[in-house]
Amino acid sequence: MAIKLVASDLDGTFLAKDNSIPESNLKAIEVLTQKQIPFAICTGKSYAISKDICNRCDAQYGIFGNGTQIVDLKEQKEIFHHCLTLEEITSCYDIASKYNLHIHAYGDNFIITEELKFLDLYNYAMYFHSDNSTFGKYDSEFNLTLTVQNKNHLSFYIVKNFLKYIKEHHLSIFNIVLSSEDSLTSIQKEIENTTLLSIQYVSKRGAYKDMVLHKEYDYLSIAPKSIGKGYALNILKDYLKVETPDILSIGDNFNDIDLLRNSGVGVAIANAYEPVKKVATYTTQNSASDGGFAEAVYRYIDQKKIL
């Protein structure tokens, strides 16, 4: 077995708890560069949010929005994208209204929400509040209360009516996130039973608590049918003409399970959820903050290196 592609999740895998990149992980990227092994970021984040991190870690490819978009970062060329239909967006909005769930959505270069509260508040805190962002003017027709654009040209909309704004502006939505402080298990089942959407359940509780917001919550990341990190990895694999046994993937959360399953070697970080560890080829001894990504790279690509 010779690894010809490394695919890694970001949060809880490549990034430390404080959203920084451990120095050991950057050194492991240098190993990949020296050996001319492509590196692909695989994240639930949008491309616009992830652009700076992709540049810092010299990623050549990116799977964004839990597989709804794939970008050749070297060529700045989109390989694949799949958006939700207006009917699917409406179904998600109706569910959010029915159960009083928080809803926000991602487009190619924007996030839209009615209120900063969970993961969208996290994104704002991490990528906007500390950035030299510019604020747009108030939109009286749609009651747009805030528009923010950062240096990556990522816009952030807080609007009065999520669904109306999307309809009136004909926005293309890659994926929707429903969030709550309560369990979303039964709601996930309801959506699965009534739609053909792909749903990834993510829990930010206990050891996985959101340390930026100091808050515990669960969220459902909703994408078009059959879309996921594993599905997108297969598309990227074909694009690069790489065989499955030659792929090393690394992750920590539920939305990484298919990524690991669709790889020759699937590695779970030490801080990963137990279901992820169960499908993994190997679980690192080091957590994300302590260089678990680097441990995986050295173990399967350059065993002469040590942390």
Side-chain angles (χ1 to χ4, degrees):
M1 175 189 68
I3 299 300
K4 297 178 181 177
L5 173 66
V6 174
S8 176
D9 171 52
L10 282 180
D11 294 335
T13 301
F14 187 76
L15 300 178
K17 283 186 177 181
D18 62 359
N19 214 47
S20 66
I21 304 176
E23 185 64 28
S24 56
N25 289 353
L26 291 174
K27 291 185 181 298
I29 292 295
E30 292 178 6
V31 171
L32 299 183
T33 301
Q34 292 166 4
K35 293 182 176 292
Q36 298 183 319
I37 298 173
F39 177 49
I41 289 294
C42 302
T43 178
K45 300 176 185 292
S46 68
Y47 175 34
I49 286 179
S50 310
K51 191 175 292 186
D52 272 354
I53 293 174
C54 289
N55 291 337
R56 288 168 60 198
C57 65
D58 197 27
Q60 290 87 51
Y61 304 95
I63 292 173
F64 304 105
N66 280 322
T68 54
Q69 184 183 32
I70 309 173
V71 179
D72 183 329
L73 300 172
K74 296 185 303 179
E75 302 294 331
Q76 288 296 295
K77 179 177 70 174
E78 188 177 66
I79 300 169
F80 169 85
H81 83 266
H82 193 358
C83 295
L84 290 160
T85 67
L86 183 56
E87 181 181 1
E88 290 169 334
I89 295 169
T90 301
S91 294
C92 293
Y93 187 77
D94 289 344
I95 287 286
S97 300
K98 179 180 177 180
Y99 293 105
N100 194 29
L101 306 178
H102 181 68
I103 184 169
H104 73 274
Y106 298 90
D108 183 30
N109 61 350
F110 65 86
I111 298 171
I112 180 170
T113 184
E114 293 180 358
E115 177 188 7
L116 292 167
K117 195 170 183 180
F118 293 106
L119 191 60
D120 52 348
L121 178 56
Y122 169 92
N123 286 325
Y124 179 74
M126 294 303 302
Y127 300 100
F128 296 90
H129 188 62
S130 60
D131 183 64
N132 294 322
S133 305
T134 56
F135 288 76
K137 63 182 180 180
Y138 183 83
D139 185 329
S140 58
E141 180 181 359
F142 296 100
N143 203 19
L144 179 63
T145 56
L146 174 66
T147 305
V148 184
Q149 187 179 84
N150 74 353
K151 61 187 177 182
N152 287 332
H153 304 291
L154 171 64
S155 296
F156 202 104
Y157 307 133
I158 304 175
V159 301
K160 182 178 181 180
N161 189 295
F162 174 91
L163 187 58
K164 180 179 180 181
Y165 195 83
I166 289 173
K167 286 180 177 179
E168 295 289 345
H169 287 263
H170 307 288
L171 299 181
S172 295
I173 301 298
F174 284 113
N175 72 309
I176 284 176
V177 176
L178 302 180
S179 307
S180 175
E181 293 179 351
D182 300 321
S183 172
L184 297 173
T185 303
S186 61
I187 295 172
Q188 178 184 9
K189 291 179 180 178
E190 179 176 338
I191 298 173
E192 289 172 339
N193 290 336
T194 57
T195 72
L196 296 175
L197 296 168
S198 293
I199 306 170
Q200 299 288 343
Y201 197 120
V202 180
S203 180
K204 305 291 287 183
R205 300 183 186 278
Y208 309 97
K209 178 180 178 180
D210 187 326
M211 299 307 294
V212 173
L213 304 182
H214 302 288
K215 192 179 188 70
E216 293 188 333
Y217 55 91
D218 291 349
Y219 68 86
L220 303 176
S221 179
I222 302 172
K225 179 184 178 182
S226 302
I227 299 298
K229 291 185 181 182
Y231 178 89
L233 182 64
N234 283 337
I235 295 174
L236 181 60
K237 175 192 72 176
D238 293 340
Y239 177 78
L240 296 175
K241 295 180 172 56
V242 172
E243 299 297 325
T244 299
D246 300 327
I247 300 174
L248 165 63
S249 66
I250 311 168
D252 76 302
N253 218 316
F254 296 114
N255 59 345
D256 298 318
I257 289 176
D258 284 344
L259 180 71
L260 271 58
R261 282 177 171 162
N262 286 11
S263 305
V265 179
V267 174
I269 297 297
N271 50 268
Y273 285 89
E274 286 305 315
V276 184
K277 293 178 180 179
K278 287 181 179 178
V279 303
T281 308
Y282 172 74
T283 298
T284 65
Q285 297 180 9
N286 291 283
S287 68
S289 296
D290 295 327
F293 170 88
E295 179 185 338
V297 169
Y298 296 150
R299 179 181 179 88
Y300 290 100
I301 294 174
D302 193 343
Q303 296 181 0
K304 295 179 182 178
K305 297 277 187 178
I306 58 172
L307 290 178

